[in-house]
Amino acid sequence: MPISVITGAAGFLGSHLTDRLLAEGHRVIGLDNLITGSLANLAHLDGEERFRFVRHDVTQPFFLPEEVGFVWHLASPASPVDYLEHPIQTLKVGSLGTHHALGLAREKKARFFLASTSECYGDPLVHPQREDYWGNVNPVGPRSCYDEAKRFAEALTMAYHRTHGLDTRIARIFNTYGPRMRLRDGRVVPNFIAQALAGEPLTLHGDGSQTRSFCYVDDLIDGFWRLMQADCHGPVNLGNPDELSIRDFAEKIRALTASRSPLEQRPRPVDDPAVRRPDIALARSLLDWEPRIDLDEGLRRTIESFRGRV
Ligand code: NAD
Ligand code: UDP
């Protein structure tokens, strides 16, 4: 039975990936220090003997006795609010944490997967973003702790591939949402849904003309699975190219929740990207992958899962 190690397993994406790998017949060892994740995301796996949780900060080295076939490195704060609160931890997990996860994969002769991000493109001057665009990142701005950590993580992954022949994969993930996101993790999807369900104003940053493209979690995890099976070492965009403005997104959430919450304008965060949309031609041709769940359907499922929690 293949063994997968997931760093960041107690997080939003890590817990969904754990479920998918168990369904595919893997054993899963989940590492997490719970800085932004929660054991509640894994509570449904109590008694599952193919899953083991290890509470560990991956910026410290780790050793496992088992043979490992796959290392999936997801550990990192991911919401701007979280990484602005933990900038040094974010830089450490992207650098030292990635180094340790790569070291584990090398030791075990395992395949390695890096959860990278569309933030590598920064505030993009090319639209939509293709993998061969090098990005427009402010290296010293408040978001740099995340952007530069991920860019370093990609560089280190490629260096391990080129120097040690490690079998590596890099997914550049665009905004993804779904059940198990933290209600108030600061990202726009849980923020707006929680605000709308609670009857509070929806906090619109700036005039809301900035755009994003949202992917439902099940589609993304399917992309992860396909990418791990494919033969490709360079970065691959995974996301939903369906782009809309944040103001339109707020209106959509109000409509889907039948909420009368007003929109309340707040200052735009520094270096908040003006546009973001993945070009997924590479994923389409290489992985035969594209998102299947449209925004309305994905949001309905997400809103349902949030209802009991607000
Ligand atoms: P999340 O915050 O829910 O999950 C991250 C997990 O990593 C948490 O459980 C956290 O406790 C854990 N973690 C952080 N630092 C750690 C450390 N030093 N040691 C051990 N565990 C640690 O966020 P998510 O949305 O699930 O994101 C998962 C990964 O995907 C991240 O690497 C993120 O950068 C990447 N990503 C996510 C999105 C998205 O839209 N969800 C977009 C781009 C990239
Ligand atoms: N945003 C907003 N209101 C909020 C939270 C976020 O208008 O309460 C905006 C944010 O400024 C950005 C977009 O929504 O333009 C997406 O933000 P998020 O934090 O979800 O992710 P990002 O794409 O910036 O990493």
Side-chain angles (χ1 to χ4, degrees):
M1 188 183 294
I3 299 187
S4 273
V5 170
I6 304 178
T7 73
F12 162 51
L13 295 181
S15 65
H16 284 280
L17 178 63
T18 301
D19 289 346
R20 173 67 186 258
L21 294 177
L22 290 171
E24 296 287 349
H26 285 215
R27 261 181 196 286
V28 178
I29 302 169
L31 305 177
D32 204 297
N33 68 348
L34 305 178
I35 188 173
T36 58
S38 163
L39 286 179
N41 290 334
L42 300 168
H44 59 289
L45 298 176
D46 275 356
E48 168 57 68
E49 55 182 41
R50 287 184 296 123
F51 177 68
R52 182 155 69 88
F53 180 75
V54 181
R55 185 163 182 171
H56 183 74
D57 179 341
V58 298
T59 66
Q60 304 293 329
F62 46 94
F63 303 93
L64 295 168
E66 293 89 346
E67 303 222 329
V68 173
F70 304 93
V71 175
W72 308 76
H73 180 45
L74 274 65
S76 171
S79 150
V81 171
D82 286 342
Y83 58 73
L84 293 177
E85 193 181 334
H86 303 288
I88 297 171
Q89 273 301 316
T90 302
L91 280 155
K92 282 175 74 178
V93 76
S95 53
L96 303 174
T98 304
H99 190 209
H100 296 143
L102 283 162
L104 176 75
R106 186 176 175 221
E107 160 76 21
K108 302 290 183 184
K109 300 188 172 49
R111 201 174 286 172
F112 177 85
F113 178 102
L114 175 69
S116 186
T117 170
S118 54
E119 283 284 318
C120 287
Y121 302 120
D123 191 1
L125 305 176
V126 170
H127 193 66
Q129 292 76 54
R130 244 173 48 167
E131 289 84 349
D132 55 6
Y133 175 48
W134 293 349
N136 177 39
V137 172
N138 174 354
V140 294
R143 293 175 89 99
S144 65
C145 61
Y146 183 67
D147 302 6
E148 296 293 17
K150 290 287 186 181
R151 287 165 67 101
F152 176 86
E154 287 196 5
L156 192 62
T157 301
M158 290 309 297
Y160 264 69
H161 171 65
R162 293 189 180 113
T163 308
H164 298 308
L166 195 72
D167 193 11
T168 54
R169 307 285 183 275
I170 298 174
R172 285 201 184 135
I173 308 165
F174 285 67
N175 297 63
T176 299
Y177 67 96
R180 298 188 195 151
M181 292 185 98
R182 246 170 47 240
L183 272 185
R184 307 272 173 177
D185 87 351
R187 289 184 270 194
V188 71
V189 177
N191 261 20
F192 282 1
I193 297 178
Q195 289 162 347
L197 292 179
E200 298 166 6
L202 271 54
T203 49
L204 189 67
H205 294 170
D207 64 2
S209 60
Q210 69 271 32
T211 69
R212 292 295 185 273
S213 311
F214 297 100
C215 184
Y216 188 65
V217 61
D218 292 1
D219 281 331
L220 182 81
I221 298 295
D222 190 49
F224 278 19
W225 174 255
R226 287 170 188 245
L227 179 55
M228 196 56 133
Q229 321 300 318
D231 186 17
C232 175
H233 305 291
V236 178
N237 288 340
L238 293 176
N240 191 324
D242 186 5
E243 178 184 10
L244 79 173
S245 75
I246 294 300
R247 179 175 284 278
D248 288 348
F249 183 67
E251 293 298 354
K252 189 181 275 298
I253 296 289
R254 287 205 318 172
L256 289 171
T257 54
S259 164
R260 274 180 291 179
S261 293
L263 304 187
E264 192 175 277
Q265 222 161 298
R266 297 277 172 87
R268 262 302 272 295
V270 177
D271 295 336
D272 188 31
V275 290
R276 192 184 279 158
R277 169 152 73 106
D279 179 322
I280 60 164
L282 184 61
R284 275 201 177 102
S285 66
L286 192 74
L287 315 178
D288 190 25
W289 175 87
E290 63 182 3
R292 302 199 173 282
I293 298 163
D294 70 22
L295 186 56
D296 283 35
E297 173 57 21
L299 285 175
R300 271 189 216 102
R301 295 185 195 181
T302 308
I303 290 164
E304 264 333 291
S305 78
F306 272 50
R307 269 190 204 284
R309 291 161 60 198
V310 173

